[in-house]
Amino acid sequence: MRNLLSSLVLGISVFVLSSGLAFADGKIEVTDARLRLLPGDVPAAGYFKLHNGTDEAIKLVGAHTGAYKKVMMHMSMEKDGMAEMHAVPEIDVAAGEDFEFAPSGYHLMFMKRSALLQYGDKVTVMLKVEGQRDVPVNFKVVSPADM
């Protein structure tokens, strides 16, 4: 009976995490989550679309995962013809609004890989939303060529 209960809990967890959507209190939705993996110990980048279906603004304040020792939010921009990247401590998303993390814009920067990863793998990343439970999101590991 104990094994059956454990299998049931594990199965439900896998289903929720593999659905491509993540919800905190049923109102924050994340879709199209991808982790662009580069060779060696080069940092990876994470992209996704976030929809704030709540009645109030939310504040995304970070992320973490067991696959990397450090995850930061960054913004890429061009200044005087040169590409620059800056750390971003938080991102506000108004009620009912969407926010996209995309190449050449906002992204998660994954540094110091601590797990072996291959293209096609799934990595669970916990998005930190101020005042709410962390939001688990399954990121698909992809090649830069697939972006």
Side-chain angles (χ1 to χ4, degrees):
M1 184 66 173
R2 185 176 186 199
N3 285 340
L4 177 63
L5 183 57
S6 296
S7 296
L8 181 61
V9 169
L10 178 62
I12 291 170
S13 298
V14 168
F15 173 74
V16 168
L17 289 174
S18 66
S19 67
L21 303 176
F23 297 93
D25 298 330
K27 308 259 180 149
I28 298 171
E29 182 179 353
V30 176
T31 57
D32 199 23
R34 298 157 290 144
L35 187 150
R36 183 186 67 198
L37 182 67
L38 296 172
D41 197 29
V42 176
Y47 309 109
F48 57 95
K49 296 174 186 169
L50 183 145
H51 174 73
N52 177 7
T54 71
D55 295 333
E56 297 179 7
I58 61 169
K59 187 175 300 224
L60 185 61
V61 294
H64 61 92
T65 179
Y68 286 85
K69 293 180 182 171
K70 188 171 188 178
V71 182
M72 298 175 66
M73 294 188 300
H74 280 182
M75 183 177 97
S76 296
M77 62 178 65
E78 190 175 311
K79 182 177 180 184
D80 299 327
M82 299 291 291
E84 292 184 353
M85 185 170 39
H86 298 283
V88 177
E90 60 192 36
I91 295 171
D92 293 315
V93 183
E97 295 293 319
D98 297 321
F99 193 92
E100 186 170 6
F101 282 67
S104 300
Y106 288 92
H107 59 279
L108 295 178
M109 183 63 68
F110 296 93
M111 294 175 270
K112 300 189 189 240
R113 189 173 13 183
S114 56
L116 289 175
L117 298 175
Q118 297 180 0
Y119 302 135
D121 287 349
K122 300 278 185 182
V123 173
T124 300
V125 177
M126 303 300 286
L127 299 180
K128 298 178 187 180
V129 178
E130 186 175 84
Q132 296 194 30
R133 295 187 315 261
D134 289 354
V135 179
V137 180
N138 249 356
F139 279 67
K140 181 179 180 183
V141 178
V142 299
S143 162
D146 294 336
M147 299 297 299

